[in-house]
Amino acid sequence: MTDEPPPVIWARLSSQGRGPARTLDYRAITTAAIALADEDGVDAVSMRKVAGRMDHSPMSLYRHIGSKEDLTELMYDAVLGELDLTGIPSGSWRADVARLAGEMRRLHHAHPWIVRFGHRPSLGPNARRFLETGLACVDGLGLDIDGMLDLLSTALQFTRGFVVQELGEVEAQRRTGLDFAGYQRHTGPFITQLLQEGGLPYLRRLVLEAEDLPDPDVVFERRLGMVLDGLAAGIGRRG
Amino acid sequence: MTDEPPPVIWARLSSQGRGPARTLDYRAITTAAIALADEDGVDAVSMRKVAGRMDHSPMSLYRHIGSKEDLTELMYDAVLGELDLTGIPSGSWRADVARLAGEMRRLHHAHPWIVRFGHRPSLGPNARRFLETGLACVDGLGLDIDGMLDLLSTALQFTRGFVVQELGEVEAQRRTGLDFAGYQRHTGPFITQLLQEGGLPYLRRLVLEAEDLPDPDVVFERRLGMVLDGLAAGIGRRG
DNA sequence: TCTAGTCGCGTACGCTGTATACGTCTAACT
DNA sequence: AGTTAGACGTATACAGCGTACGCGACTAGA
């Protein structure tokens, strides 16, 4: 009888046994928590508030999920289910990987809070589906499984980094309750002061020469395109 | 007299005026908080524990920093100061960007908690230094400032995404208190069960065919190399 | 019919960030 | 030189958090 840690959450989701009929289950809890996070931000997700939204007591949730950390994993996998993977693999690995990356980015915009939760490796049903579809897109190119993983992961890791930065700015605005103009008014004086002090030639060039309001979609597609170029070259060399 | 939000934290760091001599300052607080995060994990960083480590009362910290959120920003910028940027720019943009990416990755391994804090855009002194050095590395290639930013950001965004995933696994092990073998014993039965159920051909191939314990340094360098290939092609086209 | 085990919940504990009010100290002003 | 405005560190307090524990109500399997 070793003191094992509890098994992976996905193996622990119980089904109805004896006892009173359930008025609650982990799916409903997850849905409520996601709605709360979407509406009021991730910091508003507390066991008490989630329970309150379902007209239940806080402790009732613990009959269905082991901990708040489990709940975040359920939330993450649940939103992965919103990925639209229809029509892929299509036969063109490059188009498919771009689709996957775009879908991932879209998902982060729909649920900005996942950048705070998605650090953990996940084995949920939707993560599994995503992995299967993703690897199917890069199959048949003459690569072994490690090469396929390189292709897919590199594109998605770039996407993740891009989105983290993108949402960092969005969230900073949301938290301070400012729109973009207000945010600029907020940081502007400080940047002006920095530039007057000198010694920051590239910050100066950024302020003076950089495109004013670059379309983030365009920037993403452009950079993703460069990443995919590099991956394509890698296939030629290894495949 | 509009009700402005407080200015950027970096413009708010006070200097000694009248009143008793200080026994505390934001630098010392930041150092203590970083030590705490390094030793006991990011969740152990509380105002009370940071204060306790310095033999002060919790509220004394608020004379020097505005909020805990400010403290995290100070912590993030402080560790950016540990980046070793000597010898760059060296003249080879590709070597330099690879160095920057490697340094960033090294920093995340030294302070894994920064993946939880580094979402915000930062204007601290070390972030400024990093930006200046980074853009200097991609100057002189015939690119405008937006092209330079594409080059640098794409590589660093990939790095960030890579490291987030890498550390997600490390942290998952740390939290559960398991080493890699224990972690495999933890998830193994569930994965076995999934494979027996069938329908996950690529997960099966990953388990059966993928390299067992790939050296993460090698994987990182390989993928970063592909990204840099793509960026190089982009220079040829635009520069 | 009995009972083991699940259901939802009330209470309680230790922790968190931080608002507020306090006496103390000192640089700057009269 | 005397006064004072304001920064210093701190004690107290409050609302909110995750969740351990124990309760009566309920019901599927023995």
Side-chain angles (χ1 to χ4, degrees):
Chain A
M1 291 295 111
T2 57
D3 194 8
E4 288 289 323
V8 174
I9 175 177
W10 299 105
R12 221 171 338 118
L13 300 172
S14 61
S15 52
Q16 179 76 18
R18 70 190 85 187
R22 298 181 157 172
T23 60
L24 218 50
D25 74 327
Y26 79 90
R27 264 172 271 258
I29 296 171
T30 307
T31 304
I34 290 173
L36 200 53
D38 287 344
E39 290 169 22
D40 301 340
V42 63
D43 294 324
V45 178
S46 73
M47 301 302 274
R48 283 170 170 84
K49 288 196 192 125
V50 173
R53 174 180 271 260
M54 318 185 74
D55 289 316
H56 276 73
S57 79
M59 289 311 293
S60 65
L61 308 187
Y62 285 92
R63 287 280 168 205
H64 305 274
I65 59 169
S67 65
K68 186 179 183 185
E69 193 167 324
D70 280 0
L71 177 55
T72 65
E73 193 153 337
L74 289 168
M75 292 169 71
Y76 186 69
D77 197 81
V79 294
L80 284 186
E82 296 176 13
L83 290 169
D84 175 12
L85 305 181
T86 55
I88 56 180
S90 71
S92 160
W93 72 267
R94 185 167 172 139
D96 287 346
V97 172
R99 258 286 299 286
L100 291 175
E103 276 294 310
M104 258 307 186
R105 177 161 173 264
R106 196 184 52 73
L107 195 71
H108 279 76
H109 280 266
H111 306 286
W113 44 267
I114 61 184
V115 301
R116 291 264 295 272
F117 283 172
H119 297 149
R120 279 180 287 286
S122 175
L123 280 172
N126 290 311
R128 267 133 52 193
R129 180 186 69 128
F130 184 67
L131 179 71
E132 291 295 318
T133 308
L135 283 175
C137 293
V138 293
D139 200 2
L141 300 172
L143 298 171
D144 61 11
I145 192 74
D146 292 304
M148 291 162 60
L149 208 56
D150 278 345
L151 212 59
L152 182 67
S153 295
T154 304
L156 291 178
Q157 282 162 349
F158 159 71
T159 302
R160 164 152 226 145
F162 183 92
V163 158
V164 164
Q165 180 172 330
E166 194 178 16
L167 289 180
E169 320 247 359
V170 172
E171 279 289 290
Q173 291 173 32
R174 201 187 64 83
R175 257 201 326 280
T176 55
L178 299 169
D179 59 349
F180 183 71
Y183 187 68
Q184 279 194 327
R185 234 181 310 116
H186 181 69
T187 56
F190 179 60
I191 291 181
T192 306
Q193 177 197 325
L194 284 176
L195 292 184
Q196 277 172 355
E197 289 169 7
L200 299 172
Y202 292 103
L203 181 60
R204 160 162 272 123
R205 284 185 64 183
L206 273 177
V207 171
L208 296 181
E209 302 172 19
E211 196 180 348
D212 246 356
L213 285 167
D215 182 342
D217 295 359
V218 172
V219 176
F220 176 68
E221 294 296 335
R222 184 171 69 227
R223 293 185 186 172
L224 178 62
M226 293 196 282
V227 171
L228 293 176
D229 286 344
L231 298 177
I235 295 176
R237 224 173 299 120
R238 310 210 316 186
Chain B
M1 288 299 109
T2 59
D3 194 7
E4 288 289 322
V8 173
I9 176 179
W10 300 106
R12 222 173 337 118
L13 300 171
S14 61
S15 53
Q16 179 77 5
R18 70 189 87 186
R22 298 181 155 170
T23 61
L24 218 50
D25 74 327
Y26 79 91
R27 263 171 270 259
I29 296 171
T30 306
T31 304
I34 290 173
L36 200 52
D38 287 344
E39 290 168 23
D40 301 339
V42 64
D43 293 325
V45 178
S46 73
M47 300 303 274
R48 283 172 171 80
K49 289 195 191 125
V50 173
R53 175 180 270 260
M54 318 184 73
D55 289 317
H56 275 75
S57 80
M59 289 312 292
S60 64
L61 307 187
Y62 285 93
R63 288 282 166 200
H64 305 274
I65 59 169
S67 66
K68 186 180 182 184
E69 193 167 324
D70 280 1
L71 177 56
T72 65
E73 194 154 336
L74 290 168
M75 290 170 70
Y76 187 68
D77 196 82
V79 294
L80 284 187
E82 295 176 14
L83 291 169
D84 176 11
L85 305 180
T86 56
I88 56 179
S90 72
S92 161
W93 72 268
R94 185 167 173 138
D96 287 346
V97 172
R99 258 284 300 286
L100 290 176
E103 277 294 310
M104 258 308 186
R105 178 162 172 263
R106 195 184 54 72
L107 193 71
H108 279 76
H109 280 267
H111 305 287
W113 45 268
I114 61 184
V115 302
R116 291 263 296 272
F117 283 171
H119 296 152
R120 280 179 285 286
S122 176
L123 280 172
N126 290 312
R128 267 132 53 192
R129 180 186 69 128
F130 183 67
L131 179 71
E132 292 294 318
T133 307
L135 285 176
C137 293
V138 293
D139 199 2
L141 300 171
L143 298 172
D144 61 11
I145 192 74
D146 291 304
M148 291 161 61
L149 207 55
D150 278 345
L151 212 60
L152 182 66
S153 294
T154 305
L156 291 178
Q157 283 163 349
F158 159 71
T159 302
R160 164 152 227 146
F162 184 92
V163 158
V164 164
Q165 181 171 330
E166 193 178 17
L167 289 181
E169 320 247 2
V170 172
E171 279 289 288
Q173 291 173 32
R174 201 187 65 83
R175 257 201 325 282
T176 55
L178 299 169
D179 61 348
F180 183 71
Y183 187 69
Q184 279 195 327
R185 234 181 308 115
H186 181 70
T187 57
F190 180 61
I191 291 180
T192 306
Q193 178 197 325
L194 282 177
L195 292 185
Q196 276 170 356
E197 289 169 6
L200 298 172
Y202 292 103
L203 181 60
R204 160 162 272 123
R205 283 185 64 184
L206 273 177
V207 171
L208 296 181
E209 302 171 19
E211 195 180 349
D212 248 355
L213 285 168
D215 181 342
D217 294 359
V218 171
V219 176
F220 176 68
E221 295 295 335
R222 184 171 68 228
R223 294 186 186 171
L224 179 62
M226 293 195 283
V227 171
L228 293 177
D229 286 344
L231 297 177
I235 295 177
R237 225 173 299 118
R238 310 209 316 183

